[in-house]
């Protein structure tokens, strides 16, 4: 393997990349640098972001450009402004020791006059997004007649974003005589057409095999029931306490919904989609880059400009339509020598796509069972203990409180204290996942098992049944929240109908249901605490006798036999206090456990 020096790079460039800590060329640099340094032949390189491709095309170009000459010598086209800015920044650091060398980035969403002024001052390399580049050409503010190098970076992305016509128009404004370098992760049919039209006898190089996804990525999938998609996503996240990942959705609406549900459930997340302004997108991306957000829910288009090397996971909430997009998604993890997981949530129907995807990436998908509550609780417990062990002790602050703390714990053994500390954090997971269903079973099978359980219990002797009921009622009082529903006897409403509606709209969740009271105009029922948002979301999808269904938290069941009234509005604003001291206290308690940027889940 040659070193950068043996490849013949100028000392000014060598010193700059040494300052950046580049010791030896990456595989794509090893292949591309000699080709561009030694020949004028066009080049197609298969490489993804994260492989060192920016240096692979810019170092040999920088080495050959004469900045004493007038005019733009190289135009680099990139699909997004973020990637364009990144390339321009990289080139600035590679060229910092070359005298008089200048690079300018042009992109949409920013003041065009400022960019025109920069171009007027003269530069050697322009990095641009296709739309803004074409706009500047049409205004006669960008002259590409003298370019010796044309780089199409992430060419497949530019085509899939609909820039084919813009590229045609830009390329028509460049001279015939030039070297064209095309970098792409995949080779969709449109790109074959483009390369045939604009490239002459190109050499093809690839750091791996053509279109092969990064080998640091493990491709996994959960086989899910369609209605379990969201709970399966939660399990994927909960089983990986240190997850730092992107959840890909197919549409803006889906992106918003998933992000909202996750945020309501207490995950540290935000959404990135096309309905946001550029400033809002920048804000979300920055928070994600700085790890203030642990999970980003995004559409493919909106996530394009985001370049983060340390993602542990990419989760495909739903697969994209095009196989090439899957390659891009999964290539966002497993970068810069890190290992990563690309996890897809697939129904039986979607599973049939795998054969094609496997061909595309040249790798096998691994079927992984959806973790159960026990596995998740175990994982969270040990992660919590690890975190406690790693927490730095702020000695000076804590010391003064120690005598009092020791005194407060003096009647407990070390074991008891440890159990209590761990439980304060951990009980929420235990509560949430207690009796959680096995999502690997089909919903039919789960339903059959539930029915069997009920039938078996009919065979039990009465005494035992009474005993169990008493036990359940005891639990009911402690862990149940009571709800009001706007359907009553007059509407033909019944406990059976209520159970059916809840079962079929709760996305595979099976919270325990307590006492049901069907009144004339409305009803009350109890449900295991912690499902208010799931329930209200489910209610939005329910209709009964052509009427919308409304469910609200209610006050606890009154003691005694007094006639039941709709007491939601008594002495307070509608539906406010009804959310219950119990509910509110619980939420407070659970979010109080936040550590730094990682917010605790609320259950
Ligand atoms: P890229 O694929 O161009 O986005 O590069 C990914 C990351 O690898 C960037 O942070 C580069 O600075 C870094 N990089 C590029 N070439 C090398 C190299 N030869 N040695 C170490 N790091 C590199």
């Amino acid at each position: 393997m040659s070193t950068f020096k043996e490849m013949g790079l100028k000392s000014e460039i060598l010193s700059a990349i040494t300052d950046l800590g580049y010791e030896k060329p990456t595989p794509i640099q090893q292949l591309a640098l000699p080709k561009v340094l030694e020949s004028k032949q066009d080049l197609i390189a298969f490489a993804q972001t994260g492989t060192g491709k920016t240096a692979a095309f810019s170092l040999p170009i920088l080495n050959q450009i004469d900045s004493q000459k007038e005019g733009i010598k190289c135009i680099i086209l990139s699909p997004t402004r973020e990637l364009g800015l990144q390339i321009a920044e990289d080139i600035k650091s590679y060229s910092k020791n070359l005298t008089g060398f200048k690079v300018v980035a042009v992109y949409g969403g920013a003041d065009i006059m400022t960019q025109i002024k920069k171009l007027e001052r003269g530069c050697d390399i322009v990095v641009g997004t296709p739309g803004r580049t074409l706009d500047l050409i049409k205004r006669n503010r960008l002259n590409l007649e003298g370019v010796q190098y044309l780089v199409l970076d992430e060419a497949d992305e530019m085509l899939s974003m609909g820039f084919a016509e813009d590229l045609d128009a830009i390329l028509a404004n460049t001279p015939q005589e030039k070297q064209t370098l095309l970098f792409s992760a995949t080779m969709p049919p449109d790109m074959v057409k483009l390369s045939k039209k604009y490239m002459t006898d190109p050499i093809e190089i690839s750091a791996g095999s053509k279109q092969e996804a990064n080998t640091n990525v493990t491709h996994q999938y959960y086989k899910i029931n369609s209605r379990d998609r969201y709970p399966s996503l939660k399990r994927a996240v909960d089983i990986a306490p240190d997850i730092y990942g992107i959840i890909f959705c197919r549409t803006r609406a889906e992106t918003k919904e998933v992000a909202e549900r996750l945020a309501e459930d207490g995950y540290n997340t935000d959404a990135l989609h096309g309905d946001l302004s550029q400033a809002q997108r920048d804000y979300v991306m920055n928070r994600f880059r700085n790890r203030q957000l642990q999970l980003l829910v995004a559409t493919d288009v909106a996530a394009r400009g985001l370049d983060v090397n340390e993602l542990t996971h990419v989760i495909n909430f739903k697969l994209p339509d095009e196989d090439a997009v899957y390659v891009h998604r999964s290539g966002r993890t497993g970068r810069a020598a890190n290992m990563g997981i690309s996890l897809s949530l697939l129904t039986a129907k979607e599973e049939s796509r795998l054969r094609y995807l496997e061909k595309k990436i040249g790798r096998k998908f691994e079927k992984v069972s959806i973790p159960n509550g026990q596995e998740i609780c175990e994982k969270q417990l040990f992660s919590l203990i690890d975190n406690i062990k790693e927490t730095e002790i702020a000695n000076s602050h804590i010391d003064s409180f120690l005598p009092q703390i020791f005194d407060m714990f003096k009647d407990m053994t070390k074991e008891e204290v440890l159990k209590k500390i761990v439980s304060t954090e951990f009980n929420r997971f235990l509560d949430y996942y207690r009796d959680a269903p096995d999502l690997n079973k089909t919903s039919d099978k789960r339903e059959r098992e539930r029915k069997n359980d009920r039938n078996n219990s009919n065979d039990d002797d009465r005494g035992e049944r009474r005993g169990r009921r008493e036990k359940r009622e005891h639990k009911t009082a402690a862990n149940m929240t009571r709800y009001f529903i706007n359907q009553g006897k007059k509407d033909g409403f019944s406990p059976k109908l209520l159970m059916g509606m809840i079962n079929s709209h709760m996305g595979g969740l099976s919270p325990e249901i307590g006492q049901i009271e069907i009144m004339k105009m409305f009803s009350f029922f109890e449900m295991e605490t912690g499902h208010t948002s799931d329930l209200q979301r489910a209610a939005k999808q329910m209709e009964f006798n052509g009427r919308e269904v409304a469910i609200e938290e209610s006050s606890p069941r009154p003691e005694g036999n007094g006639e039941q009234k709709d007491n939601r509005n008594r002495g307070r604003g509608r539906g406010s206090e009804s959310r219950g001291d119990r509910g509110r206290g619980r939420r407070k308690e659970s979010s109080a456990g936040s550590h730094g940027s990682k917010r605790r889940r609320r259950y």
Side-chain angles (χ1 to χ4, degrees):
M1 187 200 270
S2 320
T3 60
F4 284 119
K5 193 170 177 188
E6 283 162 354
M7 288 176 177
L9 290 179
K10 291 178 181 167
S11 59
E12 293 91 333
I13 297 178
L14 287 174
S15 57
I17 59 177
T18 306
D19 288 350
L20 290 171
Y22 295 8
E23 287 171 7
K24 53 183 194 318
T26 65
I28 196 70
Q29 291 163 2
Q30 191 75 37
L31 291 168
L33 260 87
K35 294 274 186 298
V36 186
L37 284 168
E38 290 157 19
S39 97
K40 289 277 158 260
Q41 209 173 342
D42 289 347
L43 177 86
I44 296 179
F46 292 98
Q48 297 193 336
T49 303
T51 53
K53 67 180 168 67
T54 314
F57 60 74
S58 46
L59 295 181
I61 292 176
L62 280 174
N63 209 59
Q64 299 177 82
I65 278 180
D66 179 0
S67 57
Q68 302 303 315
K69 282 195 187 155
E70 286 282 299
I72 297 162
K73 290 105 195 159
C74 169
I75 170 90
I76 300 170
L77 295 171
S78 100
T80 62
R81 88 179 201 150
E82 287 79 8
L83 182 63
L85 280 167
Q86 184 63 50
I87 295 171
E89 279 309 306
D90 286 351
I91 292 178
K92 268 183 207 159
S93 35
Y94 302 148
S95 62
K96 65 176 185 182
N97 300 328
L98 294 168
T99 35
F101 182 87
K102 271 199 204 158
V103 56
V104 170
V106 296
Y107 44 84
D111 180 26
I112 198 164
M113 289 317 294
T114 315
Q115 293 173 2
I116 289 173
K117 277 187 197 131
K118 282 189 184 160
L119 290 171
E120 280 170 353
R121 275 182 232 130
C123 67
D124 302 283
I125 296 185
V126 171
V127 187
T129 50
R132 179 56 60 98
T133 303
L134 187 59
D135 192 354
L136 288 162
I137 291 174
K138 285 183 180 162
R139 293 175 188 228
N140 285 327
R141 301 299 191 152
L142 180 61
N143 182 346
L144 299 179
E145 278 165 13
V147 301
Q148 302 155 250
Y149 302 96
L150 164 76
V151 181
L152 300 168
D153 192 23
E154 303 209 349
D156 51 352
E157 284 281 294
M158 287 197 279
L159 291 173
S160 79
M161 285 169 82
F163 284 132
E165 279 182 20
D166 287 2
L167 291 180
D168 274 343
I170 296 169
L171 267 57
N173 281 278
T174 59
Q176 198 69 30
E177 230 3 63
K178 64 180 180 297
Q179 188 171 19
T180 302
L181 313 176
L182 182 152
F183 280 71
S184 186
T186 60
M187 187 69 162
D190 278 1
M191 216 175 77
V192 178
K193 261 196 251 163
L194 181 100
S195 63
K196 285 208 171 119
K197 198 163 162 192
Y198 293 109
M199 299 177 87
T200 321
D201 191 20
I203 325 166
E204 279 191 21
I205 57 167
S206 169
S209 67
K210 196 196 288 186
Q211 299 177 351
E212 184 182 301
N214 188 334
T215 48
N216 286 351
V217 182
T218 310
H219 300 264
Q220 300 181 338
Y221 75 101
Y222 287 170
K223 171 102 176 270
I224 58 158
N225 296 299
S226 151
R227 68 178 200 181
D228 292 339
R229 203 177 285 277
Y230 179 71
S232 304
L233 170 69
K234 280 179 67 165
R235 293 212 187 171
V237 172
D238 287 345
I239 196 73
D242 293 322
I243 191 170
Y244 176 47
I246 304 183
I247 298 163
F248 280 103
C249 296
R250 287 162 60 107
T251 61
R252 293 169 190 194
E254 190 176 80
T255 306
K256 283 187 213 171
E257 192 194 325
V258 171
E260 273 167 24
R261 289 185 75 173
L262 286 171
E264 273 173 26
D265 286 340
Y267 294 85
N268 182 16
T269 188
D270 209 338
L272 193 64
H273 51 75
D275 285 349
L276 304 178
S277 68
Q278 185 64 49
Q280 287 170 320
R281 257 185 281 173
D282 287 346
Y283 175 72
V284 174
M285 285 199 222
N286 277 338
R287 292 210 305 142
F288 186 61
R289 277 194 202 101
N290 302 335
R291 297 216 179 201
Q292 285 162 284
L293 297 175
Q294 204 177 355
L295 296 167
L296 185 70
V297 189
T299 56
D300 292 292
V301 176
R304 267 173 181 142
L306 187 69
D307 195 16
V308 178
N309 279 341
E310 304 89 25
L311 294 188
T312 61
H313 286 71
V314 159
I315 300 183
N316 298 289
F317 187 70
K318 285 201 188 134
L319 282 180
D321 281 334
E322 287 175 38
D323 296 346
V325 176
Y326 177 84
V327 179
H328 274 283
R329 285 185 181 183
S330 58
R332 292 180 163 278
T333 182
R335 286 185 180 178
N338 298 316
M339 300 304 286
I341 291 176
S342 169
L343 174 74
S344 304
L345 309 181
L346 305 179
T347 59
K349 214 164 125 204
E350 291 160 345
E351 205 181 6
S352 58
R353 286 273 306 277
L354 289 188
R355 270 187 301 142
Y356 303 98
L357 284 175
E358 286 180 341
K359 253 195 207 153
K360 188 95 187 165
I361 59 176
R363 308 274 307 279
K364 283 265 169 225
F365 273 76
E366 201 182 300
K367 183 175 176 185
V368 181
S369 59
I370 307 171
N372 60 32
Q374 166 82 20
E375 288 163 326
I376 289 173
C377 288
E378 226 176 271
K379 197 68 187 259
Q380 290 285 346
L381 176 65
F382 289 109
S383 156
L384 169 65
I385 294 172
D386 270 351
N387 283 345
I388 293 178
K389 280 179 76 173
E390 278 171 25
T391 300
E392 281 183 28
I393 299 172
N395 270 324
S396 52
H397 291 102
I398 290 276
D399 280 355
S400 58
F401 299 109
L402 275 181
Q404 208 179 333
I405 295 173
F406 286 142
D407 190 52
M408 288 167 89
F409 283 121
K410 71 176 184 299
D411 298 328
M412 285 185 209
T413 63
K414 178 179 165 190
E415 195 185 336
E416 282 169 331
V417 174
L418 271 178
K419 271 192 194 166
K420 276 187 188 282
I421 289 174
V422 171
S423 299
T424 47
E425 287 289 322
F426 184 57
N427 281 355
R428 276 186 297 279
F429 271 99
L430 280 179
D431 282 350
Y432 182 72
Y433 279 111
R434 179 175 296 130
D435 303 328
D438 180 354
L439 297 185
N440 296 293
K441 293 183 180 162
T442 62
S443 5
D444 287 352
K445 196 164 176 197
R446 288 206 302 263
E447 186 54 29
R448 274 201 304 279
E449 284 178 0
R450 253 206 305 266
K451 278 192 184 138
N452 275 346
D453 282 352
R454 275 205 290 270
N455 291 342
N456 288 342
S457 80
N458 289 339
D459 300 335
D460 290 338
D461 88 289
R462 285 185 168 193
E464 194 183 334
R465 219 160 65 203
R466 196 168 41 244
R468 272 209 246 141
R469 192 169 61 230
E470 275 160 14
K471 221 162 128 193
R472 202 181 68 220
E473 275 169 8
H474 180 68
K475 190 176 164 202
T476 295
N479 291 328
M480 292 281 176
T481 302
R482 189 157 172 268
Y483 295 91
F484 161 88
I485 180 165
N486 66 338
Q487 308 287 339
K489 255 186 222 144
K490 204 161 167 271
D491 309 289
F493 202 56
S494 68
K496 197 171 162 219
L497 280 166
L498 174 73
M499 300 281 279
M501 281 164 86
I502 289 173
N503 282 338
S504 52
H505 287 95
M506 288 283 281
L509 298 172
S510 314
E512 199 174 332
I513 297 180
Q515 188 163 340
I516 300 173
E517 303 148 78
I518 307 287
M519 320 302 290
K520 200 166 159 195
M521 309 293 287
F522 49 82
S523 308
F524 293 93
F525 64 96
E526 289 176 329
M527 182 182 279
E528 198 182 324
T529 296
H531 289 283
T532 302
S533 51
D534 294 316
L535 194 57
Q536 287 186 329
R537 197 171 302 110
K540 283 187 195 147
Q541 299 162 20
M542 296 176 187
E543 227 189 38
F544 187 64
N545 280 345
R547 239 185 353 129
E548 284 180 8
V549 172
I551 297 179
E552 288 184 27
E553 268 191 38
S554 178
S555 334
R557 190 165 4 126
E559 301 291 340
N561 302 325
E563 196 197 336
Q564 192 72 63
K565 289 210 176 81
D566 175 6
N567 53 0
R568 288 170 304 145
N569 300 323
R570 220 181 275 161
R572 57 188 147 74
R574 193 169 191 272
S576 55
E577 196 191 334
S578 69
R579 260 155 251 297
D581 293 333
R582 205 166 14 146
R584 219 184 291 147
R586 204 178 157 72
R587 267 193 284 276
K588 232 188 223 160
E589 168 207 327
S590 44
S591 53
S594 321
H595 291 299
S597 67
K598 276 190 205 167
R599 242 165 66 200
R600 286 273 142 204
R601 269 129 233 181
R602 299 187 300 231
Y603 296 110

